[in-house]
Amino acid sequence: MKQRYDFTEIEIKWQKYWSDKGLHKTPPTPPLNNGGQGGVKKFYCLEMFPYPSGKIHMGHVRNYAIGDVIARYKKMRGFNALHPMGWDAFGLPAENAAIKHGVHPAKWTYENIGYMKKQLDRMGLSYDWDREVTTCSPEYYKWNQWFFLKLYEKGLVYKKASFVNWCPSCATVLANEQVIDGACWRCDSAVVQKELEQWFFKITAYAEELLQGCDELNGWPDRVVAMQKNWIGRSEGVEVDFPLADAGGITDEKLRIYTTRPDTIFGVTYMCIAPAHPLADRLVQGKDGLNAIKAKYGKEEVKEGIFTGHYAVNLLTDEKIPVYVANFVLMEYGTGAIMSVPAHDQRDFEFAKKYGLPIKTVIIPEGGQEDETLNEAFEGEGILVNSGKFNGFKSADAKRAIAVFIEEKAFGKRMVNYKIRDWGISRQRYWGTPIPIIYCDKCGIVPVPEKDLPVILPEDVSFTGKRGSPLLESARFLNVKCPACGGNAKRETDTMDTFVDSSWYFIAYCLKDDIDLKSQISNLKSSINYWMPVDQYIGGIEHAVLHLLYSRFFTRCMRDLGVISADEPFRNLLTQGMVCKETWKCPDHDWLFPEEVKDGKCVHCGKQVEKGRIEKMSKSKKNVIDPDALIKKYGADTMRLFSLFAAPPERDLEWSDKGVEGAYRFLNKVWGIVYKYKGQGLRVKGQELSFPVAYRLSPIASSLLKKTHQTIRKVTDDIEKDYHFNTAIAALMELVNEISSFNPENEEDSSALGFAVKNTLMMLAPFAPHFAEELWEATGGKSSIFEHLWPEWDEMLAKDEEIELVVQINGRLRAKMLVPAGLPDEDARQRALQDERVKEMLNGREIKKVIVVKGKLVNIVLG
RNA sequence: GCCGGAGUGGCGGAAUUGGCAGACGCAAGGGACUUAAAAUCCCUCGGAGCUUGCUCUGUACGAGUUCGAGUCUCGUCUCCGGCACCA
């Protein structure tokens, strides 16, 4: 071994070794019965796969470092581990690159994958690349199409018109995040709402199950579960019909509304319908007025409406009330129409004030009075007034009683509603999965027959950024014979949302090379059923709803297709925090990269720069650190160690260059210790320090032995409990500090030292794998360190035989004394009371009582 | 507005079930080694006070429960994240 820690040489050496030896290969999938191979448990460790944008960033580094520690640790604990990686390879940036640089999206994507794969390997991540998944390959997206067809057969896929963000210049749909201040992010044209035919997955069919399933997500962070529940947005209420009235009285026409507050139904003073409600066009005479409301639909805070000129009747009161069209009423939720109770709904209140509509109080706070001059709606629950036979009811009781009454009278019925909408998957883009549908003039919509899958993306297209999807220009792709009648037909040119790709990739990993989902149907002993669900999923919080919800939906669909037996895809979820760093701004040159700031001055103009706030690393703020540069300067092990040490994984991590040096110093310290003792017979082999030997050890050796066992316990607990690697690493640093000040004087001391060093390396291995391997080898360790089991501690040897007893008087620390561990309470009490200092403090005062906490403290309470 | 989460030294962060606040690291200061520097090693390091090893004080703020509160309860403030006309 070298005197100096040459990280580059070491890291390359061990990466090659692992690869040559196939150390990261997944063990063959054992049969499901008899509990797997000899009772060995499986562990599926998964990190969210990246979009191949070109280079990995610090967010990836952190995500993958966390996952790698878990995977390596679990393997050392003897688990059968699956730890795969792949590429979320479809997406808009590839198309933009094609438009800008003229390089084909496929070429651009695969080149990026090649580079990023090297970067991941350079980090020393233990992926089984045999299971790599690339979503833009036909072998993969074929199954998106198959899945689409299967859902289509079950009526879970349908086509309907809906409003989308449309850029007239680019002739394409834009995602919400691509609309900036109402304009296209690429060409700055004004974005319009356009009604477009789109394909939808019927996720609402699983709304209730997805909601119920939330209660079983015990291994997920509470806030993510809360966000999912919130997103699904279940509410219970009543649908009620309000007949329309004309001069002659009640007509046959009914206006159906949905409300969660039937207890306020006696307070209805008007009704509102959405501008897109079918009745709006029929009822309103002045089309200009209606169009003005339509133009303000769903956008502005300001509430505006127009009277339809028609009335409806509240069947509970027989009151005739006006019907309005209002911009704030959503067509997509409930029935697109509402009953307005201005006294008890703030939105209705504002609207009523604006248009001079009556406000009728029907709920008063419990023990309160009716307020004659309302300044705002009272939205709380209370006691009913002005509500006929329901007067005096509490809101909760009235909700039930009125709902029952409405059902009895057949005015309406109880109803559950959800906020979640069906998932629109159509994208007018090239670089995505073609939707396997054919349009025939004679036969209409015809699904592509399963045997014709995959529908392959054509390569003979050009990328101009104009005229919409390039697929429209590929005649070879577009023109097709109808599978039903054989006549001329056209293919669907929309592609699927890329969230489809990422909704089941974790299932694809289970299948190694051949992603044949169909052949897995009803196979209870399939490798899918062996590995799924994922035991630990790790990724960013930004996917708290979309990706995670879609994956839960897909897993249930796959279950109903017989592909998988689990309901939930991810047993435990760890959402890691963001990687942040301070920002720098020059008055002339705007944001600056860290290397553009020297001594607080801008390197371009020498002006004083301003230190901005600490923010998530981003290219736009230029507060980024390049992983490549960091690996070059300190090595992958240091980079990994720091990103795990600086904060617990779920919390944001503030990047600190000085902190990185600290991690580097620590590794060098360990290196120095091993180098120092290597020539002096550092013994690392075997388990020679068993309990009986300990009796012969010197006090210092015995103390080091104890510290070692305590550290194994602490590190194991910290990892097992909640992956708090920061405290695990801190414990290792403590042990190393003790080793470093240890001076062996005889054979036994050396043995104790060897034992401590050996275990330090073992525990360091998941965090700094190359480093640990190199020193393991240098100290005579045989084979890879990862082929050894994680160390165990001996509870007897970890136990302190003396503890520091704290003595308090009235809860304040007054003395500390060393006492034997396990000292009986009464003895502890006596010792505390006899302590010179304590006696002095007590000064003969009356002792009210003495509290003894075993092994911790004695508190003397004075009168 | 609603739903989450957080608030501890100069900084990142530790503190099983309520039981020594500040582990570990960074920064800073002092010292050793060196012709000098770097590296390394040793010491100090929440605040205040003095008799220099002790006292008081201290975990956003204010109450409370308790022998004892960073931790539990109630109220207030601030920050971050998500959702937001969902009837």
Side-chain angles (χ1 to χ4, degrees):
Chain A
M1 99 186 263
K2 289 187 184 176
Q3 183 167 5
R4 212 183 113 254
Y5 166 38
D6 185 346
F7 49 83
T8 305
E9 189 189 313
I10 291 167
E11 290 175 0
I12 302 284
K13 166 184 163 186
W14 289 100
Q15 280 156 19
K16 186 172 183 307
Y17 174 89
W18 295 332
S19 166
D20 290 349
K21 242 193 137 187
L23 202 81
H24 304 323
K25 297 254 181 287
T26 311
T29 302
L32 264 188
N33 51 9
N34 75 28
Q37 267 175 348
V40 175
K41 290 225 226 114
K42 68 98 181 177
F43 194 91
Y44 186 175
C45 178
L46 181 67
E47 299 116 60
M48 289 182 183
F49 66 168
Y51 178 76
S53 56
K55 296 182 90 179
I56 61 166
H57 54 67
M58 274 302 163
H60 294 129
V61 169
R62 191 176 190 204
N63 189 177
Y64 303 153
I66 293 167
D68 200 52
V69 173
I70 295 173
R72 286 181 183 271
Y73 169 78
K74 289 290 178 182
K75 282 184 205 173
M76 289 179 85
R77 291 301 299 254
F79 284 85
N80 260 351
L82 173 58
H83 188 218
M85 184 42 73
W87 311 97
D88 189 11
F90 271 139
L92 201 53
E95 251 175 285
N96 292 335
I99 293 162
K100 210 169 160 193
H101 303 116
V103 51
H104 194 277
K107 185 167 187 280
W108 184 84
T109 303
Y110 280 103
E111 278 175 7
N112 286 347
I113 288 174
Y115 185 78
M116 289 172 74
K117 194 169 171 179
K118 280 204 192 94
Q119 286 187 301
L120 297 185
D121 282 338
R122 189 59 192 80
M123 274 183 71
L125 301 170
S126 60
Y127 298 126
D128 176 4
W129 287 114
D130 286 355
R131 288 169 187 260
E132 181 177 6
V133 151
T134 307
T135 60
C136 65
S137 73
E139 297 78 48
Y140 186 87
Y141 67 69
K142 171 185 175 179
W143 297 100
N144 284 342
Q145 296 170 341
W146 176 80
F147 185 79
F148 180 98
L149 294 177
K150 288 289 150 196
L151 290 200
Y152 186 80
E153 281 170 22
K154 301 181 104 186
L156 291 168
V157 174
Y158 66 95
K159 200 180 188 191
K160 76 165 185 198
S162 79
F163 284 93
V164 294
N165 301 310
W166 181 261
C167 172
S169 167
C170 303
T172 188
V173 165
L174 299 174
N176 285 334
E177 53 271 24
Q178 290 159 353
V179 180
I180 296 155
D181 296 329
C184 173
W185 65 293
R186 194 162 51 200
C187 68
D188 216 29
S189 316
V191 170
V192 296
Q193 293 295 305
K194 182 175 171 176
E195 199 169 32
L196 214 65
E197 291 268 306
Q198 300 244 91
W199 285 100
F200 286 85
F201 282 169
K202 212 178 203 169
I203 191 170
T204 53
Y206 286 85
E208 187 61 35
E209 206 200 318
L210 288 168
L211 183 68
Q212 301 275 326
C214 283
D215 293 332
E216 279 143 51
L217 299 175
N218 302 318
W220 287 35
D222 291 344
R223 59 175 171 154
V224 176
V225 178
M227 281 159 82
Q228 295 236 337
K229 282 185 177 172
N230 215 323
W231 187 266
I232 295 166
R234 183 183 203 271
S235 73
E236 288 179 16
V238 187
E239 274 190 5
V240 189
D241 288 332
F242 284 65
L244 293 181
D246 58 18
I250 289 178
T251 67
D252 287 342
E253 189 127 47
K254 287 177 175 126
L255 182 55
R256 178 166 291 182
I257 60 94
Y258 173 73
T259 181
T260 55
R261 292 295 302 270
D263 54 321
T264 65
I265 199 163
F266 286 83
V268 176
T269 58
Y270 62 101
M271 324 237 345
C272 289
I273 61 175
H277 193 283
L279 274 179
D281 278 314
R282 276 183 30 221
L283 296 184
V284 180
Q285 293 297 318
K287 296 299 169 211
D288 289 350
L290 180 59
N291 287 337
I293 301 301
K294 278 185 179 170
K296 287 174 179 162
Y297 172 69
K299 276 187 204 152
E300 295 164 45
E301 280 287 304
V302 180
K303 290 168 184 53
E304 291 200 33
I306 179 175
F307 180 45
T308 58
H310 291 73
Y311 292 83
V313 172
N314 183 349
L315 292 171
L316 282 91
T317 60
D318 287 328
E319 287 168 337
K320 209 170 133 186
I321 49 176
V323 179
Y324 279 71
V325 176
N327 70 326
F328 70 91
V329 177
L330 303 173
M331 191 60 221
E332 293 82 13
Y333 184 75
T335 60
I338 60 167
M339 64 178 208
S340 295
V341 186
H344 305 294
D345 183 291
Q346 188 58 25
R347 294 158 302 183
D348 297 345
F349 182 86
E350 286 165 26
F351 194 85
K353 281 282 179 195
K354 182 162 181 174
Y355 292 99
L357 292 157
I359 298 171
K360 180 183 169 194
T361 297
V362 290
I363 310 271
I364 55 170
E366 218 162 325
Q369 298 254 326
E370 183 170 341
D371 191 350
E372 292 296 335
T373 53
L374 278 180
N375 291 318
E376 57 178 8
F378 171 65
E379 296 188 328
E381 305 218 321
I383 306 291
L384 270 70
V385 296
N386 302 323
S387 298
K389 66 174 184 170
F390 299 101
N391 280 341
F393 276 57
K394 286 185 180 176
S395 288
D397 301 330
K399 276 184 190 171
R400 209 172 309 117
I402 293 176
V404 168
F405 180 73
I406 286 170
E407 285 187 339
E408 279 170 1
K409 294 275 181 185
F411 298 160
K413 62 174 193 291
R414 274 176 280 192
M415 187 64 112
V416 173
N417 252 311
Y418 301 90
K419 279 200 244 181
I420 191 170
R421 309 277 151 77
D422 280 334
W423 174 14
I425 58 146
S426 297
R427 298 289 180 271
Q428 292 67 40
R429 308 233 166 86
Y430 168 74
W431 195 232
T433 306
I435 292 173
I437 286 290
I438 289 166
Y439 299 101
C440 170
D441 283 344
K442 258 191 269 171
C443 311
I445 293 174
V446 182
V448 172
E450 212 176 298
K451 65 174 172 55
D452 294 344
L453 296 185
V455 177
I456 294 193
L457 266 183
E459 305 246 334
D460 59 336
V461 295
S462 60
F463 299 91
T464 58
K466 304 284 172 197
R467 300 185 308 270
S469 173
L471 288 181
L472 286 163
E473 296 179 26
S474 171
R476 230 160 31 105
F477 175 80
L478 195 59
N479 299 316
V480 67
K481 296 292 177 205
C482 171
C485 70
N488 286 336
K490 298 229 183 281
R491 282 194 194 280
E492 167 72 62
T493 55
D494 283 354
T495 54
M496 294 183 201
D497 183 2
T498 54
F499 274 111
V500 172
D501 311 334
S502 54
S503 294
W504 65 278
Y505 75 108
F506 42 86
I507 292 173
Y509 283 140
C510 301
L511 294 173
K512 206 162 180 184
D513 306 323
D514 185 16
I515 313 171
D516 184 350
L517 295 179
K518 198 180 169 185
S519 68
Q520 303 299 315
I521 290 175
S522 301
N523 179 5
L524 287 175
K525 291 182 184 173
S526 67
S527 49
I528 293 175
N529 284 329
Y530 176 72
W531 290 112
M532 288 296 290
V534 172
D535 293 281
Q536 186 63 55
Y537 197 29
I538 308 137
I541 185 76
E542 66 272 19
H543 295 110
V545 179
L546 295 178
H547 162 60
L548 291 170
L549 190 65
Y550 293 150
S551 298
R552 295 182 62 218
F553 164 60
F554 255 64
T555 301
R556 284 171 170 77
C557 294
M558 293 279 191
R559 177 201 62 196
D560 293 345
L561 290 171
V563 172
I564 184 174
S565 49
D567 296 329
E568 289 288 346
F570 313 122
R571 186 170 284 150
N572 295 295
L573 174 69
L574 175 62
T575 48
Q576 101 259 7
M578 299 181 296
V579 182
C580 303
K581 190 169 168 33
E582 79 276 1
T583 49
W584 297 98
K585 202 167 194 176
C586 166
D588 290 347
H589 296 88
D590 207 47
W591 301 109
L592 298 176
F593 286 110
E595 56 272 19
E596 291 176 312
V597 180
K598 284 264 152 33
D599 306 320
K601 303 235 164 48
C602 171
V603 294
H604 306 294
C605 61
K607 285 204 174 134
Q608 196 74 30
V609 298
E610 199 186 316
K611 187 173 179 174
R613 44 187 283 177
I614 294 161
E615 293 192 68
K616 179 183 178 177
M617 282 190 183
S618 73
K619 275 185 204 150
S620 60
K621 296 273 168 61
K622 298 194 173 179
N623 58 339
V624 288
I625 294 286
D626 177 21
D628 285 345
L630 207 65
I631 286 178
K632 209 170 163 196
K633 192 168 175 194
Y634 296 102
D637 284 331
T638 294
M639 181 173 77
R640 292 168 57 124
L641 194 67
F642 171 74
S643 64
L644 296 162
F645 175 64
E650 71 279 4
R651 226 186 295 180
D652 283 354
L653 180 151
E654 189 188 327
W655 194 265
S656 149
D657 295 335
K658 293 289 183 186
V660 176
E661 278 175 40
Y664 185 60
R665 263 204 291 273
F666 170 68
L667 290 182
N668 272 289
K669 194 171 180 174
V670 179
W671 185 275
I673 290 168
V674 172
Y675 187 81
K676 178 178 169 190
Y677 292 110
K678 190 186 172 273
Q680 301 172 31
L682 181 68
R683 291 166 52 191
V684 177
K685 58 180 191 296
Q687 290 283 342
E688 60 265 31
L689 293 177
S690 55
F691 185 61
V693 179
Y695 286 117
R696 293 194 282 111
L697 292 179
S698 64
I700 54 161
S702 166
S703 156
L704 181 63
L705 183 65
K706 192 203 308 166
K707 181 75 178 174
T708 306
H709 280 284
Q710 288 174 340
T711 304
I712 298 170
R713 181 172 63 189
K714 167 85 176 145
V715 170
T716 308
D717 284 352
D718 284 350
I719 297 176
E720 287 290 337
K721 203 171 62 189
D722 39 17
Y723 302 127
H724 276 191
F725 307 125
N726 56 330
T727 50
I729 293 168
L732 284 172
M733 286 172 166
E734 277 189 60
L735 177 59
V736 168
N737 286 342
E738 202 152 317
I739 294 171
S740 155
S741 53
F742 185 82
N743 289 307
E745 285 170 0
N746 54 44
E747 185 76 2
E748 277 72 35
D749 286 359
S750 289
S751 292
L753 180 77
F755 181 73
V757 168
K758 165 186 164 169
N759 281 294
T760 300
L761 296 178
M762 281 274 191
M763 290 187 277
L764 210 44
F767 304 102
H770 321 83
F771 181 86
E773 286 273 38
E774 180 68 17
L775 293 191
W776 179 255
E777 185 187 63
T779 52
K782 294 283 177 285
S783 72
S784 165
I785 195 168
F786 295 101
E787 289 180 309
H788 293 76
L789 286 178
W790 184 257
E792 310 242 357
W793 73 92
D794 182 327
E795 200 60 58
M796 291 298 288
L797 291 173
K799 201 149 80 182
D800 282 306
E801 49 290 343
E802 278 195 317
I803 56 122
E804 199 172 40
L805 187 73
V806 170
V807 183
Q808 296 181 335
I809 296 175
N810 284 340
R812 305 175 80 101
L813 175 69
R814 289 303 178 213
K816 291 179 186 180
M817 51 184 70
L818 278 178
V819 302
L823 186 74
D825 288 358
E826 184 50 34
D827 294 4
R829 177 193 154 99
Q830 286 309 322
R831 288 209 197 192
L833 290 170
Q834 274 151 31
D835 182 79
E836 280 308 315
R837 216 182 110 66
V838 171
K839 273 202 236 168
E840 203 179 302
M841 302 275 308
L842 291 177
N843 197 19
R845 291 169 68 189
E846 185 207 347
I847 295 170
K848 209 162 141 196
K849 65 172 160 177
V850 178
I851 289 151
V852 181
V853 180
K854 207 172 201 55
K856 286 225 172 76
L857 61 71
V858 175
N859 188 14
I860 301 162
V861 184
L862 300 180

